[in-house]
Amino acid sequence: MPNLQKHKLFLVSGALFALSVSVDAHADSVTDWNIKAREIVVDAKFPTPHSNRALAIVHTSVYEAVNAITKEYPASLDLKARDDSSIDAAIASATRVSLLYLIPERKREIEDVYEEALAKIEDNDQRAQGVVIGQQAAKAVWVARKNDGSASQETYKPYTTAGKYVPTTIPAAPNWVNRKPWMFADPTKFRPAPPPKLTSDAWTRDFIEVKKMGEMKSEHRSEEQTKMAKFWEATLPPIYHGVVHSVANMPGRGVTQNARLFAAVTRATDDAMIAVFDAKYHYGFWRPITAIRNADIDGNENTLTDPSWAPYIPTPMHPEYPCAHCVVAGTVGVILKAEIGENATPILWTVSYTDGGARRNWKSVDDFIQEVSDARIYDGVHYRTSTEVGSAMGLQIGVLAIETYLSPLKSVKILRDK
């Protein structure tokens, strides 16, 4: 699907998502501004990695501003806020300033949304104080993150021999490993073991499964499995933030608690993208469409070539191993499991902008994580081993996020033992 069509589809489904939130949820300013901020970020046509970075900066600023007022958790920034400062104004201000730093070319849109929100807050000293603390939080976070390496020069070198044509599109985020993470110093600490050898039983299994289930017009993929595949073609932050909303909007939660949750999830997701792109470009493992059309050179007599095989969705422009969707799902899922408790049974849900605003539900975090893994095989863009390794990698990153941002929590030990 052309980018313009995808963009239009997102705008439509964004409205559908906002409608579903208003019907099902107990929204606060954190969740309201999450929707506004991510729509502005996606409207700016940020790729998935850059969108995750932007929203991590926004939500870190929001959390620091809110917590400076409520003082519910230990502070990481030295912000002096009055207890009666307007929290709603602080959230609006922190979001506005962060977005202006990130996307100055969208100034009119950002200012319009901000002024509309501010007009709903009584114009008094409390509002003014909230605006100031939001500005201070956003500035402090931006100073710390503006030179994080995201703007480093891309120097990807296509694999070829002298004079030999290769496709000329540069793959996604080859420089992402150069970024400064939020939680760790070295992304290689999460780098998994290599993908299966091409002569192994694991490779044979993976190859046969994705060739059968992920083919564009597969007769083996059920209608339900095809729906899953279409749903999880979406990779931009709204698909995961919707799941976070289903927890943040549970009754009894406070605004600082939600600000902390979104800050933890977005920073961990941003770091997950750094770690997974490190692994992807380190191993450079081939995608199913490449492997299946070139099975005659893999040295495995049990993998058969299909010269016209094509996946259900367009193949992402970066190496296959490990599955980035699965890393993110594992990261988000583990954080949510810690937030709601190991034995809680909430109804998790989100909507998909690649599936016309369709909504899917899960009775457990584990079901949600597993569906993402299965869907990427039905999409025809990943192998089973890659999804399993990706989910496990996400668990590790999620546990680090819990320890860094949400501790002390009893569930940390439980998650480590899994």
Side-chain angles (χ1 to χ4, degrees):
M1 180 182 294
N3 289 337
L4 181 58
Q5 288 179 302
K6 282 191 174 182
H7 177 59
K8 289 179 178 177
L9 179 58
F10 172 78
L11 293 178
V12 172
S13 59
L16 290 171
F17 181 84
L19 176 61
S20 61
V21 167
S22 67
V23 171
D24 292 10
H26 305 273
D28 59 22
S29 287
V30 171
T31 54
D32 286 345
W33 272 102
N34 168 259
I35 296 171
K36 295 171 185 176
R38 72 188 193 216
E39 287 182 347
I40 291 171
V41 167
V42 177
D43 192 41
K45 296 184 175 64
F46 275 21
T48 297
H50 299 75
S51 296
N52 281 309
R53 171 184 179 263
L55 290 166
I57 289 171
V58 168
H59 277 290
T60 301
S61 302
V62 167
Y63 168 65
E64 295 294 347
V66 172
N67 192 54
I69 297 170
T70 65
K71 301 175 179 60
E72 291 188 22
Y73 304 106
S76 57
L77 294 178
D78 186 22
L79 301 175
K80 307 299 184 185
R82 282 181 8 193
D83 294 349
D84 64 345
S85 301
S86 169
I87 292 174
D88 289 346
I91 294 170
S93 176
T95 306
R96 166 188 173 267
V97 174
S98 296
L99 290 174
L100 288 173
Y101 282 135
L102 288 158
I103 328 172
E105 65 273 18
R106 312 297 294 191
K107 178 179 172 61
R108 178 179 293 276
E109 179 184 357
I110 295 166
E111 295 289 17
D112 286 348
V113 173
Y114 172 71
E115 292 296 338
E116 181 181 355
L118 208 65
K120 298 176 183 178
I121 305 170
E122 184 178 356
D123 186 4
N124 54 24
D125 186 51
Q126 286 78 14
R127 188 181 84 166
Q129 290 296 319
V131 169
V132 170
I133 202 66
Q135 292 170 341
Q136 292 175 349
K139 180 178 180 179
V141 172
W142 180 247
V143 167
R145 300 303 304 183
K146 65 178 180 179
N147 296 318
D148 65 358
S150 60
S152 63
Q153 185 175 5
E154 174 274 307
T155 57
Y156 179 80
K157 188 175 182 180
Y159 295 100
T160 187
T161 57
K164 181 70 173 179
Y165 171 80
V166 294
T168 52
T169 301
I170 299 298
N175 64 326
W176 222 235
V177 68
N178 299 325
R179 284 193 54 219
K180 172 186 175 183
W182 296 84
M183 299 186 296
F184 48 82
D186 182 6
T188 64
K189 68 179 293 183
F190 296 105
R191 187 186 293 170
K197 294 182 178 180
L198 300 184
T199 55
S200 67
D201 291 341
W203 169 247
T204 302
R205 177 205 67 176
D206 288 355
F207 179 100
I208 292 173
E209 181 184 27
V210 72
K211 183 181 180 184
K212 175 181 176 181
M213 301 300 295
E215 195 269 332
M216 182 183 290
K217 298 180 180 179
S218 174
E219 296 179 356
H220 302 282
R221 191 176 54 240
S222 69
E223 181 179 353
E224 173 63 13
Q225 289 167 337
T226 300
K227 288 180 180 178
M228 290 167 55
K230 187 63 178 175
F231 190 93
W232 288 106
E233 183 180 358
T235 62
L236 288 165
I239 194 73
Y240 286 105
H241 289 199
V243 184
V244 181
H245 270 260
S246 63
V247 171
N249 290 321
M250 293 170 63
R253 291 183 59 86
V255 65
T256 314
Q257 188 180 18
N258 281 344
R260 186 177 73 151
L261 173 61
F262 270 100
V265 167
T266 53
R267 284 179 285 188
T269 300
D270 192 24
D271 275 0
M273 296 299 285
I274 295 172
V276 76
F277 276 109
D278 162 74
K280 281 178 176 291
Y281 285 104
H282 176 76
Y283 290 116
F285 199 58
W286 56 1
R287 290 280 185 172
I289 188 171
T290 310
I292 294 169
R293 292 189 178 208
N294 291 279
D296 55 326
I297 65 171
D298 71 0
N300 187 329
E301 62 182 13
N302 296 311
T303 59
L304 302 179
T305 303
D306 182 344
S308 62
W309 189 92
Y312 178 66
I313 68 169
T315 297
M317 279 298 298
H318 46 81
E320 188 276 335
Y321 180 86
C323 166
H325 234 324
C326 307
V327 174
V328 173
T331 299
V332 173
V334 168
I335 294 171
L336 295 183
K337 189 178 289 190
E339 184 77 355
I340 62 181
E342 181 72 13
N343 298 317
T345 56
I347 299 298
L348 303 175
W349 60 271
T350 190
V351 299
S352 172
Y353 60 87
T354 57
D355 195 18
R359 169 171 166 160
R360 292 186 67 84
N361 306 306
W362 305 275
K363 294 182 179 179
S364 74
V365 171
D366 291 336
D367 289 346
F368 148 67
I369 295 172
Q370 186 61 52
E371 178 171 302
V372 174
S373 293
D374 292 340
R376 297 309 271 174
I377 295 168
Y378 305 148
D379 278 327
V381 298
H382 279 294
Y383 312 106
R384 179 66 62 182
T385 297
S386 184
T387 68
E388 294 170 346
V389 169
S391 296
M393 187 174 166
L395 187 151
Q396 296 173 8
I397 296 169
V399 168
L400 178 60
I402 295 165
E403 294 173 336
T404 304
Y405 301 126
L406 303 180
S407 289
L409 288 172
K410 295 179 181 179
S411 50
V412 171
K413 184 178 185 301
I414 295 173
L415 292 166
R416 274 178 163 172
D417 290 343
K418 286 196 168 184

